[in-house]
Amino acid sequence: MRKSWYHIITEKLWPDYPSETTTQLLRLMVILVVMFIIASANLIIRLLTNPGAGFICDLGVVVTLLLAGICLLNGKKDCLIYLTFTLPLFIYAYYISDFSEHPPCIETVYNSVWWIFGGLLFIFYLAETNYILFFYFFTSIVTIVFQLTRDNHLLDSFSYYHPFTTHPLFILTAFFAAFFFLRTKYMIQLKKQSHQLLDTQQSINKVIQNSSFSVAQIRAERDEEDNVVNLWIEKVNNAFEASFKINLHEVQDQEAEYIFNLLFRHHFDVNKMILFDKKSTREFHAKNQDRWFKVHALKPEYNRFYLIFEDISETKKKIAELEANKKRYKVLLEAIPDIFFVIDKDGTYEDFVIKESDLLKIEDTNIIGSNIYSVGFPENMANKIYRCIKNSLKNNTIETIEYSLNTHNGTFLFEMRLAKLNSHSVISIARDITKRKTAEFNLEKALIKAEESDRLKSAFLANLSHEIRTPLNIITNFTRMLAEPDLEDNERMELSDAISQNGQQLLNMIDNTIHLSKIETGTVEVSMSPCKVNPIIRNIYNRYLPIIPDSKNIRLRMNQDIPNPAFEFTTDYRLLSEALIILVDNAIKYTIKGEVVVGYEMVKNEKINFFVTDTGIGIPEDEKENIFSRFYRVRNHINDSTSGSGLGLAIAQHYVELIGGTLEMESKENEGTKFHFVLPFKDGKGFMKIVS
Ligand code: ATP
Ligand code: MG
């Protein structure tokens, strides 16, 4: 700690005096120095101008002040008081005696009074007993009386001095009385306060002495630099003696470090606690006693400390037990695959136990203290939970709610049960029912599907028998008719056409039935392999060109965007061909005249777009969404006269999806239809890059 100049001076001048005395002495020294300077200056001026007899007096003043200075330096306050008694001498020398030249006594009497006042203040400041005061007052009165008598003015009081109050003796007496009164009052007050202080100190000591906490009073010893060099135990209270089984006389005036090391075997560092620790409270475990203590350090005075030892062993033990219990329950709860929350009556989360999993990663800090309205539930769900909390608390019932929760791992379904835990909170047990619900849902879906396929199968069978019967009937009857000998050639041609067309339809139907059963049983295999595109188109072309009925005026065309025969990409050859066959079959079936085009085009060298267009009857706007449904057939004049299962498009759509595309359709009634699908162009070969 840095010392002020004030401390440095006082310590240098009066090293052995207490600080209150040195302060007083220093103030006096300052006054004396000022007076000495004035007196010396006065002496010098006198020497230079008019030495005379007054010079002796001035010199006397300087010498007296010097003496006072010496007394002060030696810290002799009494000596200063006695020197003040030389004042009447100087008054006599300056204003009364013939020793120096001076105006008549009656004119200088006030000067004398002022000198006496000065001295009086001095004495008031220094004197500790009233006896000195009265003695000084007595000498002052004598001096003034003497001065007044010298020129016979003592009794002029009522005639010479007007008004009478200005009589020097009266002023002196009045001022003395006033000062004395104030001083007495101040002294009484001081005494009272010091009594009070003493009382307070005594009661504090008493409180400390009888406190149930162990208290040690410690004194700091400081070196010249004001650094603490040692800590001494001044005293300890009864509780300290009892708690540590040590007597006051064993520790009193002993080094604190030594005693505390003796008591706590180096588990408590008193120096660190008092001198270096910023915290005024710390805890430590005295292993040798197997006790925990909380120590509070108080510093009521500069060099005095109190250490209060609070035995917290019991509390520590209880906390440890609670912690162990909590851990045990947590382990238990964690073993249960449910999430536990404790929620208070206002919906605020107080605690939770969650099984460590990737499902929900909730930080403790995030959940505890937050409210059901702020953790992400939709408002109606939060309201529902809130109502259930209220109900559970009011009626002591178990409430059940199901809810979904969006987490970073997806949406999960929970079943929450709320049960009253105590008067102000409920325990909520949330169980992840996602798997159960998904299973239920899948089961339901499977059931619906099973029912649907059952229904479909019945419909299909009913349909099939009808649809097979028609072409078969035609084929059987027409074949018989072909055998008629008197048939015209053109009639024979027509019959043969009809037989072949119905035969084709029959084949189609059988194919479709096989496809559908494979789709239904999930046995459609997708085998991706490099597949040359142009031959597929050509095969379809070659397959359909000869069977276009003569009655139709249709031109079948191919569109091969990349003519290179090596052009290929990876897909399922069979599924692609089947899908295209179904589409071409439809196109020819629903076109009377015009053209049917089957082909493909490249899309930015990344995709390949297959299409089948026709200039047929088209599909009415309101039927567009139905044609992909199984067994659905649009009511039109072609369908009225031809048989069909209504399965083709459903199968084609399924196949296209299996190889990574989506079957789409654009159609205008009576103008034509375009079916197309885009496939990813995987591992393409033999195509030309289009540089744009
Ligand atoms: P099948 O199962 O024997 O092919 P289908 O041809 O009637 O019977 P889909 O191929 O599924 O059945 O076609 C469904 C319906 O869509 C057809 O009945 C027809 O009305 C309509 N349709 C399909 N393709 C075309 C087309 N290119 N032009 C006009 N209508 C079409
Ligand atoms: Mg068809």
Side-chain angles (χ1 to χ4, degrees):
M1 205 201 324
R2 279 195 61 145
K3 284 194 253 178
S4 63
W5 59 269
Y6 172 84
H7 274 111
I8 298 170
I9 295 176
T10 48
E11 260 175 41
K12 270 252 156 4
L13 294 177
W14 303 285
D16 303 329
Y17 284 81
S19 62
E20 309 91 66
T21 316
T22 53
T23 312
Q24 197 185 33
L25 292 176
L26 191 71
R27 279 185 205 145
L28 285 170
M29 185 58 101
V30 172
I31 295 168
L32 271 184
V33 168
V34 173
M35 284 170 70
F36 182 77
I37 292 166
I38 295 169
S40 307
N42 187 41
L43 178 67
I44 293 164
I45 293 166
R46 172 89 68 179
L47 272 174
L48 294 175
T49 53
N50 171 28
F55 160 73
I56 306 288
C57 299
D58 290 350
L59 189 65
V61 173
V62 173
V63 171
T64 312
L65 286 172
L66 256 176
L67 273 175
I70 293 165
C71 291
L72 206 58
L73 281 176
N74 289 316
K76 302 235 180 298
K77 275 195 325 187
D78 288 357
C79 180
L80 271 181
I81 293 169
Y82 299 138
L83 277 174
T84 319
F85 281 91
T86 56
L87 252 174
L89 274 180
F90 288 106
I91 290 172
Y92 177 76
Y94 276 114
Y95 304 128
I96 303 172
S97 73
D98 299 332
F99 185 69
S100 61
E101 280 177 30
H102 59 80
C105 284
I106 191 67
E107 286 172 29
T108 57
V109 74
Y110 284 106
N111 294 9
S112 311
V113 170
W114 283 120
W115 277 97
I116 286 167
F117 274 158
L120 195 61
L121 286 177
F122 221 59
I123 300 269
F124 266 121
Y125 186 62
L126 287 174
E128 271 154 21
T129 55
N130 287 340
Y131 143 76
I132 295 282
L133 277 178
F134 281 112
F135 189 63
Y136 181 80
F137 177 62
F138 176 71
T139 44
S140 309
I141 292 288
V142 169
T143 312
I144 297 300
V145 166
F146 184 67
Q147 189 169 0
L148 288 172
T149 343
R150 186 71 195 267
D151 287 352
N152 281 331
H153 283 292
L154 181 66
L155 299 175
D156 287 353
S157 42
F158 300 104
S159 52
Y160 186 86
Y161 300 103
H162 282 296
F164 132 86
T165 46
T166 54
H167 192 290
L169 280 180
F170 179 81
I171 292 171
L172 196 60
T173 316
F175 271 87
F176 179 81
F179 274 119
F180 186 72
F181 173 73
L182 285 176
R183 180 186 143 103
T184 314
K185 211 167 166 209
Y186 167 77
M187 288 300 225
I188 290 169
Q189 198 65 26
L190 203 67
K191 218 170 192 168
K192 222 159 117 187
Q193 276 178 358
S194 53
H195 272 305
Q196 269 173 4
L197 197 69
L198 209 69
D199 281 354
T200 319
Q201 258 166 6
Q202 272 171 357
S203 37
I204 289 173
N205 280 342
K206 217 162 154 185
V207 169
I208 288 174
Q209 194 59 29
N210 298 321
S211 159
S212 57
F213 292 117
S214 311
V215 185
Q217 183 178 316
I218 291 167
R219 176 174 52 81
E221 181 190 334
R222 291 176 190 273
D223 64 7
E224 293 193 344
E225 251 84 69
D226 209 31
N227 296 320
V228 176
V229 286
N230 216 339
L231 294 172
W232 300 94
I233 295 185
E234 283 190 326
K235 58 181 173 191
V236 293
N237 70 348
N238 298 340
F240 191 100
E241 287 180 294
S243 175
F244 300 116
K245 301 195 175 52
I246 197 160
N247 284 327
L248 173 62
H249 66 83
E250 289 174 83
V251 295
Q252 201 160 31
D253 297 326
Q254 296 286 340
E255 266 186 51
E257 193 179 357
Y258 166 72
I259 295 295
F260 287 119
N261 281 344
L262 202 70
L263 292 177
F264 304 122
R265 304 276 146 79
H266 300 279
H267 294 301
F268 171 65
D269 187 342
V270 63
N271 293 333
K272 190 166 166 242
M273 172 92 202
I274 289 183
L275 306 175
F276 305 114
D277 258 11
K278 290 216 168 72
K279 285 192 291 180
S280 59
T281 304
R282 68 196 305 266
E283 285 180 9
F284 74 95
H285 183 215
K287 276 198 192 130
N288 56 320
Q289 304 181 19
D290 195 20
R291 286 159 83 189
W292 274 90
F293 290 99
K294 194 179 213 172
V295 196
H296 310 266
L298 302 181
K299 188 186 173 189
E301 293 166 42
Y302 187 56
N303 281 329
R304 180 157 293 140
F305 304 91
Y306 287 96
L307 286 183
I308 302 167
F309 292 83
E310 188 185 345
D311 189 338
I312 53 166
S313 312
E314 273 303 305
T315 326
K316 278 274 174 191
K317 218 163 104 189
K318 280 201 177 114
I319 290 174
E321 271 170 22
L322 280 175
E323 281 291 329
N325 272 350
K326 198 174 166 188
K327 218 169 165 179
R328 220 169 25 240
Y329 284 118
K330 211 156 177 157
V331 168
L332 194 72
L333 290 175
E334 270 177 0
I336 303 170
D338 295 335
I339 309 166
F340 293 82
F341 293 103
V342 177
I343 311 175
D344 79 358
K345 63 180 186 321
D346 302 317
T348 305
Y349 287 93
E350 290 180 333
D351 198 2
F352 77 93
V353 179
I354 189 163
K355 202 172 145 47
E356 281 293 318
S357 79
D358 288 339
L359 166 63
L360 286 169
K361 287 221 181 318
I362 307 174
E363 296 293 322
D364 290 32
T365 43
N366 284 349
I367 193 85
I368 293 175
S370 49
N371 196 277
I372 50 165
Y373 284 96
S374 64
V375 291
F377 288 121
E379 201 183 334
N380 58 345
M381 179 52 70
N383 282 339
K384 201 168 163 189
I385 298 173
Y386 185 74
R387 271 198 308 277
C388 287
I389 293 172
K390 290 276 157 199
N391 272 353
S392 177
L393 284 174
K394 194 174 161 204
N395 309 324
N396 202 3
T397 48
I398 294 174
E399 306 280 323
T400 310
I401 313 165
E402 280 185 10
Y403 63 95
S404 68
L405 199 67
N406 293 330
T407 73
H408 62 282
N409 285 333
T411 304
F412 291 89
L413 292 166
F414 287 95
E415 181 194 80
M416 183 195 272
R417 291 202 181 165
L418 293 163
K420 185 174 174 176
L421 186 67
N422 53 41
S423 61
H424 54 81
S425 47
V426 293
I427 184 158
S428 114
I429 304 148
R431 174 168 294 181
D432 178 9
I433 53 164
T434 318
K435 277 191 191 138
R436 198 183 84 199
K437 280 280 163 189
T438 317
E440 274 176 23
F441 181 70
N442 286 342
L443 210 66
E444 214 167 294
K445 229 165 78 180
L447 194 72
I448 291 171
K449 208 171 166 193
E451 281 170 3
E452 167 80 2
S453 54
D454 201 44
R455 197 180 57 76
L456 275 179
K457 261 176 218 147
S458 320
F460 177 64
L461 286 175
N463 228 15
L464 196 68
S465 55
H466 168 75
E467 297 297 340
I468 288 176
R469 216 170 264 277
T470 318
L472 256 185
N473 275 340
I474 293 174
I475 292 168
T476 337
N477 291 334
F478 281 19
T479 318
R480 201 180 320 117
M481 280 165 77
L482 264 185
E484 298 278 330
D486 49 350
L487 269 182
E488 298 278 325
D489 271 359
N490 61 337
E491 283 173 338
R492 204 178 295 278
M493 270 303 259
E494 272 176 27
L495 283 177
S496 148
D497 255 7
I499 290 169
S500 122
Q501 210 176 321
N502 280 283
Q504 182 64 36
Q505 276 171 19
L506 208 58
L507 271 177
N508 257 356
M509 209 139 14
I510 292 164
D511 278 351
N512 284 351
T513 314
I514 294 167
H515 290 314
L516 185 71
S517 73
K518 277 191 177 170
I519 291 172
E520 280 302 301
T521 50
T523 52
V524 183
E525 277 177 20
V526 184
S527 96
M528 302 298 247
S529 60
C531 157
K532 298 212 165 28
V533 185
N534 290 337
I536 298 179
I537 305 295
R538 176 155 294 282
N539 284 346
I540 296 171
Y541 178 81
N542 290 342
R543 174 174 171 168
Y544 276 93
L545 191 66
I547 56 168
I548 297 173
D550 293 341
S551 53
K552 293 194 176 192
N553 184 13
I554 298 172
R555 200 163 77 92
L556 183 62
R557 251 184 354 101
M558 291 186 284
N559 186 325
Q560 291 165 317
D561 196 18
I562 311 286
N564 183 358
F567 173 58
E568 64 172 33
F569 78 111
T570 297
T571 190
D572 185 305
Y573 173 86
R574 205 173 43 82
L575 297 179
L576 174 61
S577 300
E578 286 297 342
L580 285 171
I581 286 170
I582 290 171
L583 297 176
V584 171
D585 188 73
N586 279 349
I588 293 171
K589 189 168 163 188
Y590 297 104
T591 305
I592 310 292
K593 62 173 182 166
E595 68 171 7
V596 169
V597 185
V598 53
Y600 64 88
E601 62 196 4
M602 289 297 295
V603 184
K604 289 185 187 167
N605 291 342
E606 289 166 3
K607 287 171 181 173
I608 177 162
N609 183 24
F610 288 91
F611 57 85
V612 175
T613 60
D614 64 59
T615 53
I617 59 168
I619 299 159
E621 202 57 41
D622 54 344
E623 295 283 9
K624 283 183 175 167
E625 60 182 78
N626 301 326
I627 55 162
F628 293 101
S629 307
R630 288 170 180 184
F631 305 111
Y632 194 85
R633 304 188 77 205
V634 180
R635 296 216 62 161
N636 55 39
H637 65 277
I638 293 181
N639 278 343
D640 287 349
S641 61
T642 59
S643 53
S645 60
L647 286 171
L649 285 179
I651 294 166
Q653 188 186 41
H654 191 82
Y655 283 180
V656 168
E657 276 167 12
L658 285 179
I659 53 177
T662 317
L663 183 58
E664 284 176 77
M665 180 267 297
E666 293 153 28
S667 180
K668 254 191 173 167
E669 226 179 332
N670 300 323
E671 283 186 20
T673 309
K674 178 178 183 180
F675 282 94
H676 61 102
F677 52 91
V678 177
L679 297 183
F681 189 58
K682 265 194 261 167
D683 310 324
K685 273 187 196 159
F687 66 100
M688 279 182 294
K689 279 198 186 280
I690 297 164
V691 183
S692 58

